[in-house]
Amino acid sequence: MDVKKKMLIILVVFVLGFLYVLGYVTYWQLARGSELSQLALEQQTRDKTINSKRGAILDRNGNVLAASVAVETLTASPVDVKKNDEAIETISQDIAKILELEYTDVYDKLNRNTSYVVIKRKMDKAVGDKVRKYLNDNNMMGFSLITDTKRYYPYDNLASHVIGFAGMDNQGLAGIELEYDSYLKGASGRLITASDASGSAMPFDYEKLIDPEDGLNVVLTIDENIQRIAEKYIEQAVEENQLANGACCIVMEVKTGEILAMTTKPDFNLNDPFVLTNEETLEAINEIPEGEERTKKYSEELNKLWRNKAVVDAYEPGSTFKIFTSAMAIEENVITSNELFYCNGYKSVANYNINCWKHGGHGPQNFKRAVQNSCNPAFIEIGARVGASKFYEYMSGLGFREKTGIDLPGEDIGLMHERSGFNEVELATYSFGQGFTVTPIQMITAVNAIANDGMMIKPHIVKRFVDSEGNVVKEFGKENIRQIVSQSTSKQLR
């Protein structure tokens, strides 16, 4: 083979090799470049979240109902922990003993090939001090104690369904904690640190700290004293009347729509919201074999316990609804104070005999006496005089076909017939409060309208937002919805 051919072959091989290397470099630079850059960034930096301090929840008089207390979270860099003189097994045993954790859980975390793991969250200061002493005494590398906060509720069960609770990550999970979570939680901070090729932390010059922003304080319309009184007597009522499904109570300020108290029984301890305490319930759950079914049942019972009956549950209003039937009749001028209504114990409507609660009836009675007697036949006649169309209009005007808009999560509405199915019999039973359902918050809002010169006001439970310096950020005031009946009708009923 002559020299020219050899030179040509060498040139071709060189060119092909160059093109291969060029293509390989191009692939890693262009096709995988961003991915490799991200991996390098993750390898060279450590990004830790610093939780913000969650805002407090206070009653209208400034009493603290929920607060954030200082705790500590222990984190570790397994890459650095492995550089200690002590073996991972020994360190895991020591840490697990101090924190009362399972050795295997700690060992698994410290043995990972990563630069950041959380060993334990939300430790009280006393426990944090024990950990700090152990780390200092043993010159232990790779661990960090980060200042954190934990939610604390000074009054345990008080207003539990209103206040709600927050989880381990400081996120609101129920009640006001959930409804106003975005205002309470503030904004988390970050600590970004650099590490060298071996994974060791570099000097503080390479750190970047983004300070967290504290959340706003939420001031409720609730009055702690009125709340305590309401809770005392609703609990007494549950016991005296043996109410298996519990009960609720709402206290509203007539002129402003502010909720002064709202309680649901049974309630729960806000500092241990995931713990069931009812012995009968626990016995029933423990009879279920361990596994998914038992866990599911436990979760169902917790959700039942957390339900705020005042805004979530609906019931037949019964004779309390006669307030509204009376208001309709007075407003429409279809009755007078002195005319007589006769009750013989039942009223015939569309071939149905609808009974009065009093066997044998109330006999002759004027309108005022019919209200005092809570006489069903009298109110069936009064409702009939109002008429189905007008009656249905008032039902809508009173807010029974819509949510009140109260600032609490999970509000529901009751069940009513559609207008097409609202006939003579439905009109009769609705007149004394049966055959449909309403929520307690709908009911008190409508009653409040009758008491408030006929003006319906939107109920609310938050009074204002305040920052950490005490400055008012936002005020929540009275919000009129609509006029239901005239002032004269309201005055006559009162």
Side-chain angles (χ1 to χ4, degrees), residues 409-460:
E411 183 182 4
D412 201 357
I413 57 174
L415 292 174
M416 286 177 55
H417 288 82
E418 293 296 330
R419 179 63 187 89
S420 58
F422 189 72
N423 300 311
E424 187 178 2
V425 174
E426 288 73 33
L427 174 60
T429 58
Y430 275 42
S431 296
F432 57 90
Q434 293 184 13
F436 65 103
T437 61
V438 300
T439 64
I441 192 63
Q442 283 179 316
M443 189 67 186
I444 197 171
T445 302
V447 172
N448 194 75
I450 301 301
N452 184 42
D453 289 331
M455 174 58 73
M456 178 174 283
I457 303 175
K458 182 179 178 180
H460 64 282

Side-chain angles (χ1 to χ4, degrees), residues 24 110 128 148 216 282 292 305 365 409 415 420 468:
Y24 188 76
L110 294 182
D148 201 352
L216 295 174
L282 287 171
E292 185 178 338
L305 188 62
Q365 57 195 329
L415 292 174
S420 58
S468 57

Side-chain angles (χ1 to χ4, degrees), residues 44-95:
Q44 295 163 12
T45 61
R46 299 174 188 176
D47 192 345
K48 298 178 182 178
T49 299
I50 303 174
N51 289 330
S52 58
K53 183 179 180 182
R54 194 172 178 84
I57 299 175
L58 307 97
D59 85 333
R60 67 189 299 117
N61 302 311
N63 298 306
V64 177
L65 305 177
S68 291
V69 295
V71 291
E72 292 180 293
T73 291
L74 178 65
T75 67
S77 169
V79 173
D80 291 331
V81 173
K82 292 170 185 175
K83 297 174 183 177
N84 288 294
D85 295 333
E86 295 284 351
I88 290 292
E89 291 82 1
T90 302
I91 298 172
S92 299
Q93 288 174 349
D94 293 342
I95 294 293

